[in-house]
């Protein structure tokens, strides 16, 4: 094991925090600038729901995430061994994600309902509203392709490659937490954290980002886009039937998760941490504090 360089390790994590801060700042600034330019060209298209959504996605996936990856590239990544997964293992991971997504969604709705009762007005589920108010092509490009690729490159490969030196457990937990906070609302926070744990575990065990990208794409398609597609095709009956299928998949995921959880294997890092107190490295640093503040602002703005 390497001796602990507390200042150096905090600096590494601080850069990760600043990378996520700039992801948010660049995304929002670029969204404003691109929208302004688009309004000058064609205000009708730019201010439509579809047009504004494309502009916001371009700002996020073409500018925000690349800037974040450039910042993370300033931290040397630690090497990871690679292992392949069998098809059955991939299926188990997908079913486990269904279980965590369904239960996390219910928890998010419950928490949002409580908050709505306290505030005296109903908070909006911006995810379902966005999917239902935009075209299928937009949702396939952004929700099914762009979001999984960018989020996995940053939240799994970008973060875990630079934190696994502290051990698998902190790398998985922190990457899942940051992934959940990036969503900026209570509806998505809980299931994003749950599936983030699964994605993180898969990545630290395989070292191959293509697995988490593929499962992430499948989950976003089946649980995010397809319910609205079935509603458009067959109305409430078709949408309810699809939701029941997802619940059945979640039940299978719960059983398989319980079976495989006993076989989990998490490794310690090669940095000598006193008492494994990695929290004293991860959170008390400028970059991570700045990101937590930005995340809190996003959650508050979402409630307004």
């Amino acid at each position: 094991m390497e001796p602990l360089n507390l200042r150096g390790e905090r600096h590494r994590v601080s850069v990760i925090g600043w990378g996520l801060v700039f992801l948010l700042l660049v995304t929002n600034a670029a969204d404003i600038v691109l929208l302004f330019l688009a309004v000058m060209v064609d205000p009708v298209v730019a201010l439509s729901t579809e047009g504004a959504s494309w502009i916001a996605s371009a700002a996020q996936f073409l500018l925000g995430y690349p800037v974040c990856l450039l910042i993370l590239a300033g931290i040397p990544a630690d090497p990871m061994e690679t292992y392949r997964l069998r098809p059955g293992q991939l299926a188990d991971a997908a079913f486990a994600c269904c279980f965590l997504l369904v239960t996390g969604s219910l928890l998010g709705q419950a928490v949002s309902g409580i908050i709505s009762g306290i505030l005296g007005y109903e908070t909006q589920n911006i995810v379902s509203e966005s999917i239902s108010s935009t075209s299928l092509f937009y949702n396939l490009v952004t929700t099914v392709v762009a979001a999984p690729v960018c989020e996995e490159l940053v939240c799994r490969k970008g973060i875990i490659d630079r934190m696994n030196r502290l051990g698998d457990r902190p790398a998985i937990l922190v990457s899942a937490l940051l992934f959940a906070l990036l969503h900026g609302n209570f509806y998505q926070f809980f299931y994003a954290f749950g599936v983030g744990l699964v994605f993180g575990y898969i990545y630290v065990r395989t070292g191959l980002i293509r697995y988490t990208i593929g499962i992430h794409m499948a989950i976003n398609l089946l649980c995010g886009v397809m319910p609205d597609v079935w509603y458009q095709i067959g109305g409430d009956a078709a949408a309810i039937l699809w939701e029941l299928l997802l619940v059945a998949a979640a039940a299978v995921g719960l059983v398989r998760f319980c079976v495989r959880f006993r076989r989990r294997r998490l490794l310690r890092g090669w940095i000598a941490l006193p008492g494994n107190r990695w929290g004293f490295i991860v959170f008390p640093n400028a970059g991570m504090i700045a990101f937590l503040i930005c995340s809190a602002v996003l959650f508050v703005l979402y409630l307004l």
Side-chain angles (χ1 to χ4, degrees):
M1 278 191 170
E2 296 180 13
L4 173 63
N5 179 351
L6 184 59
R7 183 175 181 179
E9 296 304 323
R10 281 181 175 170
H11 172 72
R12 289 173 62 90
V13 180
S14 182
V15 174
I16 293 174
W18 284 119
L20 298 177
V21 168
F22 275 92
L23 188 161
L24 298 176
L25 294 178
V26 170
T27 295
N28 285 280
D31 186 18
I32 295 173
V33 172
L34 293 177
L35 183 60
F36 175 77
L37 295 175
V39 168
M40 293 180 62
V41 175
D42 191 334
V44 175
V45 174
L47 296 177
S48 66
T49 301
E50 184 85 4
S53 297
W54 277 110
I55 291 170
S57 294
Q60 182 179 27
F61 300 126
L62 299 181
L63 293 171
Y65 275 100
V67 167
C68 180
L69 287 172
L70 285 175
I71 294 174
L72 294 183
I75 312 172
D78 296 312
M80 297 185 65
E81 297 183 6
T82 59
Y83 302 92
R84 295 181 181 273
L85 291 180
R86 297 188 300 274
Q89 293 173 313
L90 286 172
D92 284 344
F95 280 120
C97 286
C98 283
F99 165 69
L100 293 169
L101 193 143
V102 170
T103 54
S105 295
L106 293 175
L107 181 57
Q109 292 173 19
V111 171
S112 298
I114 293 172
I115 294 175
S116 296
I118 295 174
L119 296 177
Y121 58 85
E122 185 177 357
T123 58
Q124 296 180 337
N125 188 340
I126 58 176
V127 180
S128 60
E129 290 184 3
S130 174
I131 290 176
S132 61
S133 61
T134 51
S135 66
L136 176 61
F137 178 68
Y138 169 82
N139 290 321
L140 291 175
V141 171
T142 58
T143 303
V144 180
V145 178
V149 171
C150 291
E151 289 171 357
E152 292 307 308
L153 287 177
V154 167
C155 295
R156 246 60 64 182
K157 186 170 182 59
I159 293 175
I160 291 179
D161 279 7
R162 290 155 181 83
M163 285 197 61
N164 66 338
R165 61 196 284 114
L166 303 178
D168 289 347
R169 181 173 286 105
I172 294 171
L173 287 173
V174 173
S175 66
L177 175 62
L178 299 181
F179 173 60
L181 290 174
L182 276 174
H183 286 76
N185 63 84
F186 290 103
Y187 279 103
Q188 293 178 284
F189 175 82
F190 297 100
Y191 71 72
F193 179 72
V195 298
L197 293 175
V198 176
F199 293 157
Y201 181 77
I202 292 172
Y203 183 63
V204 300
R205 290 277 58 82
T206 66
L208 298 172
I209 198 64
R210 64 172 181 260
Y211 288 135
T212 62
I213 290 176
I215 297 174
H216 198 155
M217 286 181 172
I219 292 298
N220 281 12
L221 173 64
L222 298 176
C223 301
V225 176
M226 289 305 297
D228 185 68
V229 171
W230 282 110
Y231 176 78
Q232 298 295 332
I233 294 175
D236 289 333
I240 292 174
L241 177 60
W242 186 258
E243 295 290 345
L244 290 175
L245 291 175
L246 292 179
V247 171
V252 174
L254 174 60
V255 174
R256 297 303 302 164
F257 176 79
C258 292
V259 171
R260 286 200 174 273
F261 184 76
R262 296 177 301 166
R263 308 174 190 171
R264 71 194 187 283
R265 182 169 59 93
L266 297 177
L267 304 179
R268 299 189 64 179
W270 50 87
I271 299 297
L273 298 179
N276 200 26
R277 300 170 72 178
W278 51 266
F280 287 94
I281 294 175
V282 172
F283 297 108
N285 59 77
M288 196 60 68
I289 292 173
F291 174 67
L292 293 176
I293 292 173
C294 289
S295 299
V297 171
L298 285 180
F299 276 77
V300 171
L301 291 177
Y302 169 77
L303 297 175
L304 298 181

